[in-house]
Amino acid sequence: MKKIGIVTGASSGMGRDFALAFAKKYADGSDAADEIWLIARRADKLAELAARLPIPARVFAADLCAPGAIDEIAAALAEEKPDVRFLCNAAGYGKFALFGETERPDAAGIIDLNCRVLTELTSAVLPYMASGANIVNIGSLSSFQPVPYMAVYGASKAMVLSLSRALGVELAPRGIHVMCVCPGFVQTEFFDRAVSDNGAVTNYNKLWSPSEVVKKAMRDLSLKKPVSILGFGVRTQVRLVKLLPHSLVMKIWCRQQGHR
């Protein structure tokens, strides 16, 4: 039975770095993968990445939000009947804007990609996973609190964290580990789509690199942690958010962004 791994959003950012990290991890040894499936919209970027990997790659150049896209992946799984050793759901996007100024297609698209696609793909892949497999979902620091001026994105990532934690409990008896990666701001192409000239979010505090987030996540994955959070400041904020009223947390966030 062929052993494979699957990474979405693999053309850039954290998805790309996770593909590199997982390929390195599963390149040899008793749990070596025969192939890694790379999924994203840009075929040229996926081909460039595939050429760098130490294991063979199969490229799926697809918009996962498009009708039939997940069915294509499900059909490939049904044909191959592989042993999926890891699934990394890294595809996602957001917008920095007032909810009332967010175009309806963008609001719906954020929920569709960040929530529906992640859920549906995980459901399609799960029957092919066995003991020792890993699921890594990309959440956010925004998963832990309501976030004005990026309200839909924050809500979508709260769903990702909640789903990941619940799945982690459900799948533990099967020996499948689930981890949600919840970084602060990461310097990726996410900003090309999220930032607009409305000035809704301008204070990014600290920008982490994708490689820093992925390095910490892979270490946490080896320790079987349910959530991976990079940085003392981010971990401190998560702890405080659990203790402080959300009304105060949102007020502090708005002041940081210059909204009184």
Side-chain angles (χ1 to χ4, degrees):
M1 182 184 296
K2 180 187 289 187
K3 293 182 179 180
I4 72 165
I6 302 173
V7 180
T8 71
S11 60
S12 66
M14 287 186 285
R16 178 179 176 277
D17 277 47
F18 268 114
L20 290 165
F22 274 117
K24 181 179 179 181
K25 174 180 172 65
Y26 288 92
D28 50 37
S30 59
D31 204 28
D34 300 300
E35 192 172 74
I36 182 169
W37 292 8
L38 306 174
I39 307 172
R41 292 177 298 169
R42 294 176 291 181
D44 57 336
K45 294 291 186 181
L46 294 179
E48 290 174 10
L49 174 60
R52 293 189 55 191
L53 300 180
I55 59 177
R58 180 172 177 179
V59 168
F60 291 82
D63 178 354
L64 288 174
C65 291
I70 304 253
D71 291 337
E72 180 186 347
I73 306 300
L77 288 166
E79 182 180 354
E80 295 277 358
K81 294 182 173 55
D83 175 11
V84 181
R85 304 314 298 151
F86 63 89
L87 167 64
C88 178
N89 287 301
Y93 85 101
K95 280 286 184 179
F96 299 157
L98 285 164
F99 179 81
E101 296 176 357
T102 303
E103 297 291 334
R104 285 166 52 197
D106 276 323
I110 291 167
I111 296 169
D112 199 33
L113 182 57
N114 295 3
C115 300
R116 181 192 65 81
V117 165
L118 180 147
T119 303
E120 195 173 346
L121 184 61
T122 301
S123 179
V125 173
L126 193 54
Y128 303 95
M129 305 188 91
S131 181
N134 293 289
I135 298 173
V136 174
N137 295 326
I138 307 303
S140 168
L141 174 57
S142 303
S143 300
F144 298 94
Q145 64 188 70
V147 192
Y149 305 101
M150 43 194 296
V152 179
Y153 175 79
S156 74
K157 291 302 184 178
M159 181 271 188
V160 173
L161 176 59
S162 180
L163 177 68
S164 299
R165 283 173 158 163
L167 279 182
V169 172
E170 290 186 17
L171 297 178
R174 291 177 52 181
I176 300 172
H177 181 66
V178 182
M179 185 177 77
C180 191
V181 181
C182 295
F185 287 111
V186 185
Q187 185 62 63
T188 69
E189 292 180 8
F190 171 91
F191 284 91
D192 296 341
R193 198 169 184 181
V195 176
S196 61
D197 59 4
N198 56 29
V201 177
T202 56
N203 182 359
Y204 306 132
N205 191 9
K206 178 178 175 60
L207 284 171
W208 301 93
S209 70
S211 60
E212 289 175 310
V213 175
V214 171
K215 182 179 180 181
K216 176 66 161 59
M218 295 303 290
R219 185 163 61 246
D220 288 343
L221 188 64
S222 68
L223 297 173
K224 300 298 181 185
K225 291 188 177 183
V227 180
S228 177
I229 301 173
L230 173 65
F232 175 79
V234 180
R235 290 194 297 273
T236 300
Q237 185 171 334
V238 169
R239 293 189 184 99
L240 288 174
V241 164
K242 293 178 180 178
L243 299 173
L244 298 175
H246 279 173
S247 58
L248 177 58
V249 171
M250 288 188 287
K251 183 179 293 186
I252 293 171
W253 160 258
C254 289
R255 287 179 176 173
Q256 289 174 337
Q257 302 307 324
H259 302 289
R260 302 292 178 178

